[in-house]
Amino acid sequence: MDDDLEKLSRDELITEVRRLRAGIRAHRDSTGHELCWHHPDLWGLLPEKIEPEVAVPPWPEFLRGCLRYRESLDRELPRAPVSDVEYE
């Protein structure tokens, strides 16, 4: 799957690593409602261009998952500032 890397020069590999790191940092630094959204820009960093098959759970299960995710942030980042901005 990653055979293309074998053909890249050292400079091309460094460029690729920087591109991937920038994408990972953008994802890491997302905040607010961006945290619970799908990330096609991150997936687009991969060389294989496929349309991801996203399966969406029914609303009750989806909302329970959102609540568990938000609760995990309270546990793991208890001092994180709260952003009271409505999603648009």
Side-chain angles (χ1 to χ4, degrees), residues 5-18:
L5 297 175
E6 302 292 334
K7 300 173 187 150
L8 297 179
S9 70
R10 180 180 187 282
D11 289 341
E12 290 169 325
L13 286 170
I14 289 171
T15 299
E16 179 68 1
V17 167
R18 287 183 176 145

Side-chain angles (χ1 to χ4, degrees), residues 16-64:
E16 179 68 1
V17 167
R18 287 183 176 145
R19 182 180 77 87
L20 295 173
R21 284 182 174 187
I24 293 167
R25 286 181 181 115
H27 179 76
R28 174 200 66 194
D29 297 342
S30 62
T31 186
H33 291 283
E34 295 171 357
L35 291 172
C36 58
W37 211 246
H38 74 288
H39 293 274
D41 292 339
L42 184 63
W43 306 333
L45 295 172
L46 294 169
E48 60 272 10
K49 303 303 177 200
I50 62 170
E51 195 65 35
E53 295 181 23
V54 177
V56 181
W59 277 106
E61 289 86 347
F62 180 80
L63 293 174
R64 282 194 297 272

